[in-house]
Amino acid sequence: MQNTSATNQPKERRLLQAGLIALEKGDFPVLEGLLAGPATNPSDEQDAHLLKGLLAIGERKFKAAIEHLSAVLRSDPNHLVAWFNLGQVLLNMEDYTRAMRCFVEVLRRDSGNIEALYLRGLCHRALGDHANAGRDATDVVHRQPEHVGALKELGNSLLIAGKFSLARNVFQSVNALAPSEPFVPCMIQFLSHQMCDWAPLVFAAQKDEVMVVGSTSLDVLKQRCERNEPALEPFASLVLFDDPELHEKAASLWMKKLHPKMPQEVFARLEEQKRSRPLRTPQQALKVAYISCDFYEHATAYLMAGLIEAHDRQAVEVYVLSYGQVRTDAMRQRLEKAADHFVDINNMPDWQVARWCRENDIDIAVDLKGLTRDSRPGIFAHRAAQVQVSWLGYPGSLAADFYDYMIADEFVMSEQQKAHTQEALVLMPNGYQVNDSQRPKPQPATRKEHGLPDEAVVLCCFNNHFKITESVFNCWMDVLNASSNTVLWLMAGSSEAENNLIKQAVSKGIAKDRLIFAPVLPLPQHISRLALADISLDTSPYNAHTTASDALWAGVPHLGLQGQGFAARVSSSLLHAIGMPELVTDSLERYQALLQQLTCKPKKLKALRAKLGAQKHENVLFNSAQFAKHLESAYRQMYAVWAEKLPKRDLEIR
């Protein structure tokens, strides 16, 4: 709450003084007795509303708090304490638009209010406005350089803006100021991977923590997570470790910290409401809601668009629930046209979205974000639908009991991954990854126009740089050393990442001009240039996902490197689906050996390319309509399990 110390109050406002003293002591019975007494001066009514509002906040009775604080503002529109605390209440209720208006009102009257500025920034970030969130965080840090919360917000904003070195510096400052601050060392490690900076890191020890001599920074993060400390951000855990048990623990700790379990009585009431409505008959379409902030020119939309169009409207009624910044690109327009209902939920808090879904009788809610950036698992924690599904966005278990199913396939689910997946599995017959049959087809392009040598063997990896590990990169360098007529074609990124990769290559005896960086292009041009490569390269423990299916669509053989976790097995899934399992390897040694063989045997490479070209258009991997039929069957089976009041169970779709 905003500072409302009794010592700052005028002497004549005795009710307010006494009430604030009781509040500071936590003596609620005394406060309630004061509020029950008669008013003794004209300000008592306003002060009583303020005290009742503050008391309601302490008791987490937010609706009552809003009523009382609003009453204060009706009598005094310039009441800073009421504005500030009303903003905090609305922020706690995830009503970010109204909360931000309150902090704006505070700042209009008190431009030096650092906490209001900080909290306005939190609202900006929650609404997907990362630029303004960063500006507010920067202003706070300029005024109060050791404000830990603002430093974290600034670090996140710099990360999103691609300023990885500056972001890492900020998080290192936070780690020095507050060694026990959750997840900060993990962000430092992740940002180092973003820059392909594989130098050893040192983290500040937490209180009473004994650092084991010789432990690496990764060891420290793993040990903290194993002690049930909130140390590993879930998505980063997939990038840093190939360990499904650790992935599950990281996700579980994250969920428990941010999304506490719904009280059983609330869950029971919502379940009763759902079951009071008539069940869908097999002839009625199920209402399915896809929820994400990526319904624009984004990898998820590139995969999903054909599915939304291909869904049989006799089987499903398609709701697309979108949040984040409003986009107007061609993909957004395509999806708006394809969906039966395209709904902007950006200004709705999680609980309100869940309520909207229930009021609109959504049967199945599908989370396409999971625990990636800008995800909103809170919508699912509030039970948007009787059946809730994780799919496509997050390759791993979300480790929360409010997700019923995870869509997967037999190849992404190792035995270790199965043992550490809390959701029931829906195993798709031809791979879990949907693909758009209408993806742009490669058009004629030349190597010269893309800066590639005509006669070289072009090895390409268009993955994000954070996926490139030192061991995989050194493997590539060994192949380049052994095959002088090869070049490595990578996606352009931050200057730090490119410089570090060039530096590492040179240290391995590779001339820097054998690394070629490709700028970001629109999807049609990207697919066309991708066809110029000879081999697409995998990374591990986080494989190529959409980038792998892009390569296969462009007719480029993809060399897979399979691990234990879901994220480390996606290439295997795609290669099995397209009928090329011979390109799956299960160790770095086998991966390097096969890559070396392919670079030296052009006939074998040509034969693989011909096989891929013959199969890709006839194969199920790129058949949106067939995938839609299988998915609709899966939805019907999930719904039937719920309707028949059976325990959720693994489903194998045929």
Side-chain angles (χ1 to χ4, degrees):
M1 290 184 289
Q2 181 78 7
N3 179 17
T4 53
S5 171
T7 58
N8 295 333
Q9 307 305 322
K11 291 182 180 180
E12 65 272 12
R13 304 184 77 163
R14 294 182 180 178
L15 172 62
L16 185 59
Q17 289 177 322
L20 291 175
I21 291 170
L23 263 179
E24 289 167 3
K25 291 180 177 179
D27 197 342
F28 295 158
V30 169
L31 178 56
E32 289 169 352
L34 289 168
L35 293 172
T40 58
N41 68 62
S43 64
D44 278 359
E45 183 178 356
Q46 181 189 108
D47 293 344
H49 276 299
L50 178 63
L51 290 168
K52 287 176 181 177
L54 299 178
L55 175 61
I57 292 173
E59 296 175 339
R60 299 190 67 79
K61 297 177 180 177
F62 293 145
K63 185 175 180 180
I66 291 172
E67 290 174 359
H68 289 299
L69 293 171
S70 298
V72 174
L73 291 169
R74 283 194 294 272
S75 63
D76 181 4
N78 292 311
H79 202 295
L80 285 177
V81 174
W83 276 121
F84 186 90
N85 283 281
L86 180 57
Q88 284 196 309
V89 170
L90 294 167
L91 186 61
N92 277 318
M93 295 179 69
E94 301 169 353
D95 193 342
Y96 303 115
T97 301
R98 291 172 64 201
M100 184 158 59
R101 289 175 190 150
C102 293
F103 298 128
V104 168
E105 292 295 336
V106 174
L107 291 165
R108 281 178 56 198
R109 296 163 176 83
D110 178 12
S111 60
N113 193 309
I114 288 177
E115 283 307 300
L117 185 59
Y118 166 63
L119 294 174
R120 185 179 71 176
L122 295 186
C123 294
H124 279 306
R125 185 154 82 94
L127 292 168
D129 187 351
H130 298 293
N132 276 318
R135 278 190 277 272
D136 281 350
T138 300
D139 286 349
V140 173
V141 171
H142 281 159
R143 301 180 196 189
Q144 191 174 321
E146 295 189 354
H147 193 297
V148 170
L151 283 167
K152 287 169 62 180
E153 287 302 309
L154 177 57
N156 283 321
S157 296
L158 291 167
L159 166 60
I160 291 165
K163 299 177 180 179
F164 303 133
S165 182
L166 291 174
R168 184 173 65 175
N169 290 343
V170 169
F171 281 114
Q172 286 172 327
S173 297
V174 175
N175 190 228
L177 286 169
S180 297
E181 192 67 26
F183 307 113
V184 168
C186 179
M187 294 307 300
I188 297 169
Q189 186 81 52
F190 182 70
L191 283 159
S192 295
H193 276 247
Q194 285 275 17
M195 295 184 286
C196 299
D197 181 353
W198 304 310
L201 291 168
V202 178
F203 302 138
Q206 297 176 345
K207 185 179 180 181
D208 300 325
E209 181 180 33
V210 177
M211 295 286 205
V212 178
V213 176
S215 293
T216 65
S217 54
L218 286 174
D219 292 333
V220 171
L221 292 174
K222 184 174 182 178
Q223 290 157 11
R224 289 177 180 177
C225 188
E226 289 172 342
R227 294 196 299 265
N228 292 320
E229 297 174 16
L232 272 176
E233 189 274 333
F235 181 77
S237 77
L238 305 179
V239 173
L240 302 175
F241 301 94
D242 185 20
D243 185 342
E245 182 177 6
L246 194 66
H247 300 160
E248 180 191 28
K249 185 176 281 289
S252 177
L253 291 168
W254 180 276
M255 285 293 198
K256 286 174 181 175
K257 183 175 177 64
L258 297 181
H259 302 287
K261 188 174 180 179
M262 178 184 286
Q264 185 58 37
E265 62 273 15
V266 177
F267 176 80
R269 186 174 70 249
L270 294 177
E271 184 73 358
E272 184 181 352
Q273 290 173 1
K274 275 290 182 183
R275 293 197 180 278
S276 67
R277 298 174 182 174
L279 295 175
R280 305 275 185 218
T281 68
Q283 291 72 39
Q284 290 178 306
L286 295 173
K287 292 187 174 185
V288 177
Y290 294 108
I291 304 176
S292 178
C293 61
D294 296 330
F295 296 117
Y296 63 101
E297 299 286 344
H298 182 278
T300 299
Y302 294 149
L303 297 175
M304 287 280 298
L307 170 72
I308 302 298
E309 292 167 339
H311 265 313
D312 179 0
R313 269 37 184 192
Q314 301 299 312
V316 294
E317 184 177 349
V318 178
Y319 288 72
V320 170
L321 274 55
S322 175
Y323 59 93
Q325 292 186 350
V326 175
R327 314 278 182 159
T328 57
D329 55 49
M331 178 57 74
R332 176 65 161 239
Q333 293 171 22
R334 180 182 172 189
L335 290 168
E336 288 179 350
K337 182 180 179 181
D340 298 308
H341 312 274
F342 194 103
V343 184
D344 186 344
I345 59 169
N346 193 54
N347 292 327
M348 296 167 65
D350 291 348
W351 62 267
Q352 191 175 352
V353 176
R355 187 176 69 182
W356 184 95
C357 288
R358 294 193 298 270
E359 289 174 347
N360 284 273
D361 211 14
I362 298 298
D363 298 302
I364 297 174
V366 184
D367 187 350
L368 297 173
K369 291 296 293 182
L371 291 174
T372 55
R373 190 172 74 200
D374 294 329
S375 61
R376 291 181 63 177
I379 293 171
F380 298 84
H382 287 287
R383 268 287 160 188
Q386 57 264 47
V387 178
Q388 302 197 142
V389 182
S390 169
W391 180 43
L392 204 59
Y394 185 81
S397 176
L398 298 178
D401 64 357
F402 45 84
Y403 288 98
D404 304 304
Y405 295 94
M406 179 171 75
I407 295 176
D409 63 63
E410 61 176 315
F411 297 107
V412 294
M413 299 305 295
S414 66
E415 290 304 313
Q416 191 179 353
Q417 181 67 65
K418 287 179 183 177
H420 296 287
T421 297
Q422 295 188 17
E423 302 89 337
L425 296 175
V426 177
L427 299 177
M428 301 295 283
N430 302 307
Y432 87 100
Q433 189 192 87
V434 65
N435 276 278
D436 181 12
S437 303
Q438 304 305 313
R439 252 190 178 115
K441 291 181 172 62
Q443 300 301 311
T446 66
R447 285 189 168 186
K448 182 178 180 180
E449 65 187 295
H450 291 285
L452 298 170
D454 283 331
E455 303 304 322
V457 176
V458 177
L459 312 178
C460 82
C461 179
F462 284 170
N463 285 353
N464 281 310
H465 290 156
F466 66 77
K467 297 185 182 182
I468 302 174
T469 61
E470 185 175 15
S471 59
V472 168
F473 188 78
N474 287 343
C475 164
W476 297 343
M477 295 304 99
D478 288 344
V479 171
L480 262 65
N481 263 317
S483 307
S484 59
N485 192 35
T486 55
V487 296
L488 180 60
W489 198 19
L490 301 169
M491 183 60 71
S494 69
S495 59
E496 298 98 336
E498 291 184 19
N499 290 336
N500 283 329
L501 290 170
I502 291 170
K503 182 179 177 182
Q504 182 77 355
V506 170
S507 76
K508 298 293 181 180
I510 302 299
K512 66 179 184 179
D513 61 0
R514 293 180 67 190
L515 268 62
I516 301 166
F517 293 95
V520 176
L521 290 178
L523 185 63
Q525 293 95 308
H526 171 64
I527 295 295
S528 296
R529 73 172 172 191
L530 188 49
L532 300 171
D534 292 296
I535 306 172
S536 168
L537 301 177
D538 210 3
T539 49
S540 187
Y542 204 115
N543 283 176
H545 293 186
T546 307
T547 46
S549 50
D550 281 346
L552 295 171
W553 177 256
V556 180
H558 177 72
L559 181 57
L561 179 53
Q562 176 179 279
Q564 289 301 312
F566 189 136
R569 300 175 70 85
V570 171
S571 288
S572 174
S573 169
L574 295 170
L575 288 165
H576 278 90
I578 206 163
M580 302 191 73
E582 65 270 31
L583 289 176
V584 178
T585 63
D586 59 4
S587 72
L588 195 57
E589 292 74 23
R590 292 189 177 94
Y591 174 83
Q592 182 171 332
L594 183 52
L595 177 57
Q596 183 69 64
Q597 184 184 119
L598 293 174
T599 59
C600 296
K601 295 187 176 181
K603 287 185 179 179
K604 182 170 184 177
L605 187 55
K606 185 177 180 180
L608 284 170
R609 196 167 185 123
K611 179 182 177 182
L612 176 59
Q615 291 188 182
K616 72 172 185 177
H617 293 299
E618 299 174 4
N619 195 273
V620 292
L621 180 61
F622 297 109
N623 189 327
S624 303
Q626 188 174 52
F627 191 98
K629 286 183 172 62
H630 288 139
L631 189 59
E632 288 153 12
S633 173
Y635 288 152
R636 187 63 66 177
Q637 291 181 52
M638 294 180 222
Y639 182 80
V641 169
W642 174 82
E644 294 168 21
K645 300 183 181 180
L646 299 172
K648 64 183 182 183
R649 63 177 187 273
D650 292 350
L651 303 172
E652 191 168 352
I653 310 304
R654 295 295 183 187

